[in-house]
Amino acid sequence: MRIADVLRKKGSAVATVGPDVTVADLLGELASHNVGALPVVEGGRLIGIVSERDVVRRLHAGGADLLGAKVGDIMTTEVTTCSPNDDVTDLAAIMTSRRFRHLPVLVDGRLAGIVSIGDLVKARIDLLESERAQLQNYIAG
């Protein structure tokens, strides 16, 4: 199963944030979209990703003044990305070993979607269920 299959079911719409947005506004965006991370985009290009984890770690280190800081100050700039042709199982292993939960999908350098570890787990479960049903049908004749 490929990432394109996941996006076909999930959809490719992605909420994003700019680097000049405040952390307080970022928290509102995360809550309103019910997501744990947002890609940071500037001029149509992915320049980072910012997650709840980034906020919590920086809040712990620097206190409440962080809420007035800019997303660009706390985002992760070395972003692991994938393409629609990448294998779900391979990416799930990478996300697990590197301990991150959100993976932007790029096509020709442009953001084309985002997948979470939950999306990948769901896709794998759906695939296993489909295979199980096919085997049952084959056995039952």
Side-chain angles (χ1 to χ4, degrees):
M1 179 177 283
R2 304 279 174 212
I3 291 298
D5 302 318
V6 175
L7 290 179
R8 220 177 339 275
K9 289 182 182 177
K10 175 186 177 175
S12 59
V14 183
T16 64
V17 67
D20 293 328
V21 170
T22 66
V23 172
D25 289 338
L26 164 70
L27 293 174
E29 289 295 311
L30 290 170
S32 71
H33 294 289
N34 195 29
V35 296
L38 289 172
V40 183
V41 175
E42 186 173 53
R45 292 279 188 209
L46 179 71
I47 61 167
I49 191 165
V50 63
S51 70
E52 296 163 328
R53 187 178 293 172
D54 294 321
V55 174
V56 169
R57 287 181 177 157
R58 296 287 173 84
L59 190 59
H60 174 72
D65 289 344
L66 176 73
L67 296 175
K70 303 293 182 190
V71 165
D73 297 333
I74 69 164
M75 69 183 182
T76 299
T77 56
E78 291 184 27
V79 183
T80 300
T81 63
C82 68
S83 80
N85 295 323
D86 287 333
D87 182 76
V88 167
T89 303
D90 294 343
L91 292 176
I94 290 168
M95 292 171 80
T96 300
S97 68
R98 294 189 192 167
R99 303 184 64 79
F100 60 86
R101 298 178 297 193
H102 301 89
L103 191 59
V105 182
L106 298 183
V107 174
D108 296 328
R110 297 258 180 210
L111 189 62
I114 189 166
V115 292
S116 70
I117 192 71
D119 296 329
L120 302 188
V121 168
K122 181 183 181 322
R124 291 183 69 192
I125 289 171
D126 290 348
L127 180 62
L128 289 172
E129 285 294 322
S130 174
E131 289 173 354
R132 182 188 60 78
Q134 289 174 8
L135 285 172
Q136 281 181 326
N137 287 337
Y138 176 75
I139 291 169

